[in-house]
Amino acid sequence: MSDAAMVYVVDDDDSVRAALEDLLASVGLPVRAFASTAAFLAQPPADVPACLVLDVRMPGQSGMEFHRQMQALGLHLPVVFITGHGDIAMGVKAIKSGAIEFLAKPFRDQDLLDAIHQGLARDRARRLQDAEAAEIQTRWMGLSDGEREVVRLVVQGWLNKQIAHQLQLSEVTVKVRRGNAMRKLRQTSLADLVRFTEKLGV
C-alpha cells in the first residue's frame, strides 16, 4: 500500500474548484475537480486512498442525493461536504449518514485540510482491511472441502478422534488434513486458527 492519495472535488462553481485545486496543490495533495457528480462518475477513480469533497447543492443531482447513492454504486470514499446554503439540521443529517465533516462556506482552509486528512486516513484503513479480508478468503478457498470440514470442527474444540468419528475417517487422515490446513492458512497454533476463522466468519 503506497503513500499515494487522491482528493476529488465536485462543485459546480468554477471559482471554488480552482481555489480548492490551488489549496490542495499547495500542500502536495493530488486533486481532480469536477463540475457535477455525472462528470465525476465518468472518470474511473484512481486505485489509491482517496477522499471526496462534495458540494451539497448543485444543478442536477445534489451532493446529498449522490452521497445516499454511493454505496449502491460501489463507492466507499469518505466524504467532506461543503456548502454555501447549509443549516444545522442538514449538517447533522450528513454526519449521521457517514460524512467526515460538513463545512459552511466560507470555511477555514485548515478545517478543510484537517477533514481531508481524516478522510484519507479512514480510506487507507478501509483499504488495508479489504486487502486483509481478500487475502484471508483466498487462503480459505485454497483448502479442500475435507480440510475446511476439519477446520470447522477443530475451532469448535473437537479432538482429532472425535472429528474422525464424526466424519467417518481415520484419525491419521484427520491429522493430515488438519496439518495441511494449518500450513495453507499459515497458522501455527490453535489460537491463531480460531482468530483466523473469526475474521473469516466461519
Side-chain angles (χ1 to χ4, degrees):
M1 205 66 75
S2 73
D3 291 331
M6 179 62 68
V7 180
Y8 300 104
V9 174
V10 180
D11 193 305
D12 63 304
D13 188 320
D14 295 344
S15 61
V16 170
R17 291 199 308 277
L20 293 183
E21 286 179 304
D22 288 344
L23 171 65
L24 294 168
S26 74
V27 295
L29 282 173
V31 57
R32 294 181 187 170
F34 305 91
S36 67
T37 57
F40 168 68
L41 288 175
Q43 185 169 334
D47 187 20
V48 294
C51 181
L52 175 60
V53 178
L54 187 60
D55 190 19
V56 170
R57 293 187 181 178
M58 295 178 285
Q61 186 178 45
S62 73
M64 296 292 281
E65 290 171 342
F66 183 67
H67 189 225
R68 286 192 291 270
Q69 294 178 5
M70 284 178 63
Q71 188 167 2
L73 293 170
L75 294 171
H76 305 289
L77 299 177
V79 171
V80 176
F81 277 113
I82 56 175
T83 181
H85 312 280
D87 57 31
I88 293 175
M90 187 183 292
V92 169
K93 185 176 181 179
I95 299 301
K96 283 186 174 181
S97 65
I100 295 286
E101 186 58 276
F102 188 91
L103 300 173
K105 303 172 186 176
F107 45 77
R108 292 194 320 129
D109 289 350
Q110 193 57 53
D111 289 341
L112 176 63
L113 292 174
D114 288 346
I116 288 172
H117 283 298
Q118 183 183 344
L120 292 174
R122 181 183 292 187
D123 202 42
R124 284 190 183 95
R126 177 192 64 80
R127 287 168 62 86
L128 284 170
Q129 288 180 334
D130 288 351
E132 181 184 20
E135 171 65 18
I136 287 173
Q137 187 66 33
T138 296
R139 291 186 203 173
W140 179 249
M141 296 310 296
L143 302 186
S144 69
D145 290 342
E147 289 162 353
R148 283 195 288 269
E149 205 168 25
V150 167
V151 167
R152 287 191 178 96
L153 296 177
V154 166
V155 298
Q156 291 177 39
W158 290 41
L159 301 175
N160 287 343
K161 63 181 180 180
Q162 293 173 315
I163 297 172
H165 178 74
Q166 173 69 18
L167 301 180
Q168 298 183 337
L169 300 170
S170 70
E171 195 168 340
V172 171
T173 299
V174 170
K175 289 179 179 178
V176 169
R177 290 183 181 179
R178 180 172 178 168
N180 286 342
M182 293 291 283
R183 176 179 53 80
K184 291 178 181 179
L185 297 177
R186 302 177 201 169
Q187 307 303 307
T188 57
S189 69
L190 176 59
D192 289 340
L193 184 64
V194 170
R195 283 190 286 269
F196 180 93
T197 55
E198 285 177 346
K199 291 179 181 178
L200 189 64
V202 172

